[in-house]
Amino acid sequence: MFSKILIANRGEIACRVIRTARKMGIATVAVYSDADARALHVEMADEAVHIGPSPVGESYLVAERIIAAAKATGAEAIHPGYGFLSENPDFVDAVEAAGLVFIGPSASAIRAMGLKDAAKRLMEKAGVPVVPGYHGEGQEIVILASKAREIGYPVLIKARAGGGGKGMRKVDDPDAFPEALASAKREAKASFGDDRVLVEKYVDKPRHIEVQVFGDKHGNVVHLFERDCSAQRRHQKVIEEAPAPGMTDAMRAAMTDAAVKAAQAISYSGAGTIEFIVDASDGLKPDRFWFMEMNTRLQVEHPVTEMVTGVDLVEWQLRVAAGEPLPKTQDQISLDGHAFEARLYAEDAAKGFLPAIGTLHHLRFPEGPGIRVETGVRAGDAISPFYDPMIAKLVTHGANRKAALDLLSEALADTQIAGSVVNTAFLAALAADADFAAGDVDTGLIARKQDALTALAEPQSAHLAAAAIAAADIAADRNAADPWSSLAGYAHFHATPKRIRLGVGDETVTFRLSVAANGNVDLRFGDGVEGTRIAPSRLPTARWPGHVTVFSGTASHTFTVADPFALAEAASGGSDALRAPMPGLVKVVRAAVGETVEKGQPLLVLEAMKMEHTIAAPHDGVIAEIASEGAQVTDGTVLVRFEEIEEAKPASLLG
Ligand code: ADP
Ligand code: ADP
Ligand code: MG
C-alpha cells in the first residue's frame, strides 16, 4: 500500500478521499489555488501545496504543477477525485511517465470511453445495447438534420466530449434543430474545446439508472448494484438513490450483466459507472435499457452505493491502484436497505436555478444515525464563482425506501445555511412530492412540476417577528458605545422603544420593539405607538452583515436590515433595468435598442458557470439600452434598460 498520496481536487471530494486515506494510515497531500488557501481540504491534509491562481485553468487543471507537487512531497500516487483531470488520459500518461501511480483506470480505458460516439460504437461491438441514434463522423448540419429526421423526433443532441449535462439539447421538431445545434455546439466548444456532437433518439419517459462497477489489475470485475438518478434538472442529477425503485430481479440481472460486460470489454480497473437510459413508459423491462456512457471515475453520488453495500469505494480504489485484488467477490456483495443523496447547491431555485455565490456566514448540518454529510466547507467559507457551487451532499440510509426518504426530509429540515441562496426548500419539496415518494420518477418530473417545487413560502408574521428581534440585536451591537454594555442585559438596553426596518423583497416593513424590565418583548407593526401587536417568535435565526435569516422547517426567509441611507439611494436610482444576476459573459443578444419587446421574450443569453441562461423580458416595453455581445459582466451590471413609460395624460391637460 502507498504511504503517501496526493489529491488533485478540492471541495467535498478531496475531503472525502483524505478521510479514507487517513483511516488506512496513508499520509495525504492537498493542492490548492489562491481562492482555496484556507479551504477545509487544505486544513485536513497532512501537507498542502499551492498550485496557482483561482481559475481552474491556472491551477486544478494544470497537470505539470500537480505532478511537480507530488514529486516534491514524495507522494507515490495521485487521486483525481471527479471532474477536473479525472477523465483526462493525457494526465494519466503524464502521471505514469513521472513514475507515479494514477488512482483510477488506465489511459487506454479512459480513451475508449472518453468520447460518447466512439464509446457507443465500442459497446455496440461488445454486445451492449446502446441508445439508437447517429454516432458517426459527419458533422455537417445537413447530415445531422437528416439523421435526426431518420431517428424521429424528439431527438437529443449531445456533445461527444460532454459531461455534467452540458452541451445537450432536446429538440422536439425539425424547425428547432438548427438553433439547438448551434447552441449545443457553442456550449460544447466553451466547456470541452470540442464541438462535435451525436444525435440520439430521445427516450420516452426516461429513467436514468446506472450500475457501479469495479475492476482490478488481475482481470476481476464486479458490480455493486444500481443507482437511480432520474430526478434531474437540465440533465443534471438532483437527488440520487440506491437501489432503483421498482427494480425487478430480471431487470437487475440484465443491467448488471451488461455493465460488467462493458467494463470487461476495456479491461477496466478501478471504480467506474455504466450509465443507462431506461424507457419506463411500461414499467422496467429488460429489453428497454440502453448504454449512454461510462464515467471512468468515482461518481459524485457514490455514497448511496456505499450506504447500501457497506463498501468504502475510495478504499477499494486505493487497494486496486496499489495492485491488490478486489477485496470482495460478487457473491460477497449484497444490498442492505435504501439510501438517498441530495445535492445542496448555492443556487436560486425560484429564479430559474441561477447559480449563487456568497459567504456561508451560518452553517448547520444535520446529524444522527443514518445521516451522512459530505462537504468541503465550514461556516465562514465562501462559495466563489470559480468552482462548482455545491455546498454539501446530504446522504441518508434506512431499512427501506420510506425510512430513508423520511430521514432525508428530516435532514433537510435540520439544515441551516445563511449567506447565500441555497436549494434546500426545493430539495425538500422534491423529497415530499407524491410521485417522487411513490418512486414514480422520470427525468422530466422536475421540469413538469417546477413551479410547484420552486414556489417560495411567503414570510409570515412569526418570521418577521423573529427577524425583528434578531435585527434589534444587530443594531444594539453596532450602536453600543461600550462593548460590555450588551452584557448588562437585553432588557435593560432596549428599555426605550426601538425602530427596526426590515427589507422584505421590494418592500420595507417597520417595527417598534421594546423590552420591558422583566424581559418581555413588545413588538408592533408600524411606527406609531398604536401599531398592531405581534407575538414574539423564537424561530432560529442567523444574523450576518446587513441581513437576518429566519429558519422555519425547510424554508428560510432572509430579510435585509434596512440602512436608511441605502434605502434613499435605491429609491432615487430605481430605474427600470434588468441586471446580471451573477458574473458572466453575454453570449448572444437578441434584441436591439428601440425595439418593442413582449413579456417573456428572450432578450439575451448570459453564459455563467459554463451554462447558458436566457434572460427574458419581465414585461412588455421598449429597449433603451442593451449589453453588447461578448461583454464580460459582474453581478448587478445593467444588461437591459427599458424606456420610461410615460403616464398617459388626460387630453384636457395637453397643449
Ligand atoms: P456525476 O454523474 O458524477 O454527477 P457529472 O457528469 O454530473 O457526473 O459530473 C460530475 C462533476 O464533475 C460535476 O460536478 C461537474 O462539475 C464536474 N464535471 C463534469 N464534467 C466536467 C468537465 N468536462 N470539466 C469540468 N468539470 C466537469
Ligand atoms: P453527461 O456526460 O452530461 O452526463 P449523459 O449522456 O450521461 O451526459 O446524459 C445526461 C442525462 O441526459 C442523462 O442522465 C439523461 O437524463 C439524459 N439523457 C441522455 N440521453 C438521453 C436520451 N437518449 N433520451 C432521454 N434522455 C437522455
Ligand atoms: Mg452522464
Side-chain angles (χ1 to χ4, degrees):
M1 185 45 61
F2 312 113
S3 56
K4 190 192 271 191
I5 63 168
L6 178 142
I7 297 98
N9 216 299
R10 63 177 303 283
E12 67 88 14
I13 193 60
C15 297
R16 162 74 191 89
V17 173
I18 292 170
R19 216 176 311 119
T20 287
R22 173 166 307 157
K23 177 186 88 179
M24 295 171 72
I26 300 168
T28 52
V29 181
V31 292
Y32 64 96
S33 66
D34 288 349
D36 280 338
R38 282 186 298 277
L40 184 58
H41 76 280
V42 173
E43 181 188 286
M44 282 176 68
D46 299 306
E47 287 169 77
V49 180
H50 177 246
I51 50 165
S54 307
V56 295
E58 297 168 49
S59 49
Y60 295 106
L61 289 177
V62 185
E64 308 84 78
R65 298 225 186 113
I66 289 166
I67 292 168
K71 298 291 274 183
T73 53
E76 304 141 63
I78 298 183
H79 193 299
Y82 55 72
F84 295 146
L85 294 165
S86 63
E87 295 179 273
N88 182 328
D90 298 336
F91 179 62
V92 179
D93 284 338
V95 168
E96 288 171 357
L100 304 167
V101 177
F102 178 75
I103 302 170
S106 65
S108 71
I110 297 178
R111 279 199 181 95
M113 291 295 184
L115 298 173
K116 294 183 203 291
D117 51 356
K120 283 179 73 178
R121 295 198 289 263
L122 184 74
M123 288 298 106
E124 242 171 353
K125 257 189 240 150
V128 175
V130 305
V131 189
Y134 175 70
H135 37 266
E137 298 283 338
Q139 289 292 309
E140 293 79 11
I141 181 160
V142 283
I143 297 182
L144 295 172
S146 85
K147 290 291 177 187
R149 209 172 304 238
E150 251 170 56
I151 294 163
Y153 283 88
V155 298
L156 190 65
I157 302 173
K158 269 187 194 178
R160 65 168 191 169
K166 289 170 198 140
M168 202 174 285
R169 295 290 182 277
K170 181 185 176 205
V171 195
D172 292 313
D173 59 81
D175 289 347
F177 192 84
E179 165 100 45
L181 180 67
S183 168
K185 280 183 172 281
R186 264 199 310 273
E187 199 169 288
K189 186 84 189 164
S191 305
F192 317 111
D194 177 346
D195 70 355
R196 300 175 68 107
V197 298
L198 50 157
V199 183
E200 285 183 355
K201 174 74 195 156
Y202 189 83
V203 171
D204 222 27
K205 193 153 199 263
R207 270 178 70 178
H208 173 122
I209 302 180
E210 58 186 34
V211 176
Q212 175 73 54
V213 293
F214 228 107
D216 64 19
K217 294 178 181 174
H218 309 278
N220 305 302
V221 176
V222 296
H223 70 82
L224 292 101
F225 302 100
E226 78 282 356
R227 290 183 288 259
D228 193 310
C229 312
S230 302
Q232 300 189 346
R233 198 188 69 80
R234 283 179 141 204
H235 313 303
Q236 296 193 59
K237 300 160 186 170
V238 176
I239 295 184
E240 303 99 334
E241 61 181 300
M247 183 52 97
T248 62
D249 288 345
M251 182 74 165
R252 178 174 286 144
M255 294 189 81
T256 53
D257 281 356
V260 168
K261 197 152 64 171
Q264 279 165 342
I266 53 168
S267 307
Y268 197 76
S269 99
T273 295
I274 314 289
E275 294 190 334
F276 295 105
I277 193 89
V278 176
D279 174 348
S281 57
D282 188 22
L284 297 179
K285 296 279 155 67
D287 59 349
R288 295 209 191 155
F289 73 89
W290 301 275
F291 171 90
M292 275 193 298
E293 65 161 347
M294 178 172 189
N295 291 327
T296 51
R297 54 168 162 87
L298 192 67
Q299 204 89 334
V300 174
E301 60 275 20
H302 75 275
V304 294
T305 298
E306 297 185 323
M307 301 299 264
V308 294
T309 59
V311 168
D312 179 337
L313 292 172
V314 174
E315 179 184 334
W316 280 31
Q317 285 190 297
L318 296 173
R319 294 198 183 284
V320 162
E324 293 181 22
L326 287 174
K328 287 187 175 185
T329 60
Q330 190 68 65
D331 300 346
Q332 295 169 328
I333 304 167
S334 58
L335 272 177
D336 167 33
H338 205 102
F340 282 93
E341 172 186 278
R343 299 188 186 193
L344 268 181
Y345 271 90
E347 65 183 11
D348 196 341
K351 287 198 187 136
F353 294 90
L354 289 178
I357 51 176
T359 298
L360 306 172
H361 291 284
H362 175 88
L363 198 59
R364 198 188 88 174
F365 289 125
E367 285 173 16
I371 298 177
R372 166 173 166 189
V373 178
E374 294 289 344
T375 188
V377 291
R378 303 150 296 200
D381 286 347
I383 298 296
S384 77
F386 299 108
Y387 315 112
D388 188 291
M390 187 160 78
I391 297 172
K393 306 187 298 201
L394 298 191
V395 186
T396 61
H397 182 230
N400 52 50
R401 189 171 188 272
K402 181 168 188 322
L405 188 56
D406 287 348
L407 194 55
L408 181 66
S409 294
E410 280 172 38
L412 286 162
D414 268 350
T415 301
Q416 294 179 355
I417 302 174
S420 181
V421 194
V422 186
N423 66 346
T424 322
F426 162 66
L427 293 172
L430 179 58
D433 176 80
D435 290 331
F436 188 84
D440 184 13
V441 190
D442 65 274
T443 62
L445 177 106
I446 292 176
R448 284 194 303 275
K449 300 191 175 188
Q450 180 154 328
D451 289 348
L453 294 174
T454 58
L456 287 181
E458 289 286 318
Q460 306 294 310
S461 64
H463 305 131
L464 287 162
I469 293 167
D473 241 357
I474 290 181
D477 292 344
R478 199 199 286 148
N479 296 342
D482 169 7
W484 299 107
S485 70
S486 56
L487 291 180
Y490 188 59
H492 164 76
F493 194 76
H494 291 289
T496 47
K498 221 172 160 39
R499 269 179 76 218
I500 313 288
R501 310 229 285 161
L502 292 181
V504 188
D506 300 334
E507 290 167 51
T508 304
V509 184
T510 307
F511 298 87
R512 199 170 134 279
L513 184 148
S514 45
V515 182
N518 64 5
N520 284 347
V521 175
D522 182 70
L523 185 63
R524 287 161 200 267
F525 276 128
D527 276 331
V529 187
E530 293 305 312
T532 316
R533 193 149 186 227
I534 57 171
S537 138
R538 292 197 188 285
L539 287 169
T541 56
R543 303 179 307 166
W544 48 288
H547 300 78
V548 178
T549 300
V550 180
F551 302 100
S552 163
T554 53
S556 69
H557 301 279
T558 294
F559 305 94
T560 51
V561 178
D563 170 337
F565 298 105
L567 272 177
E569 212 172 287
S572 68
S575 62
D576 188 12
L578 268 181
R579 291 169 191 278
M582 63 192 142
L585 172 76
V586 178
K587 268 262 101 109
V588 184
V589 175
R590 291 173 195 253
V593 171
E595 193 175 326
T596 304
V597 296
E598 281 175 18
K599 178 176 176 181
Q601 184 176 332
L603 301 180
L604 47 80
V605 179
L606 184 68
E607 189 200 79
M609 311 272 181
K610 292 201 171 151
M611 301 266 292
E612 292 192 350
H613 304 275
T614 300
I615 309 279
H619 52 67
D620 296 354
V622 178
I623 308 279
E625 235 180 84
I626 190 158
S628 40
E629 248 170 52
Q632 201 77 49
V633 297
T634 59
D635 53 333
T637 304
V638 173
L639 294 174
V640 181
R641 210 183 280 282
F642 295 92
E643 284 185 3
E644 302 271 328
I645 299 163
E646 302 272 319
E647 288 290 326
K649 293 182 181 120
S652 62
L653 293 181
L654 291 175

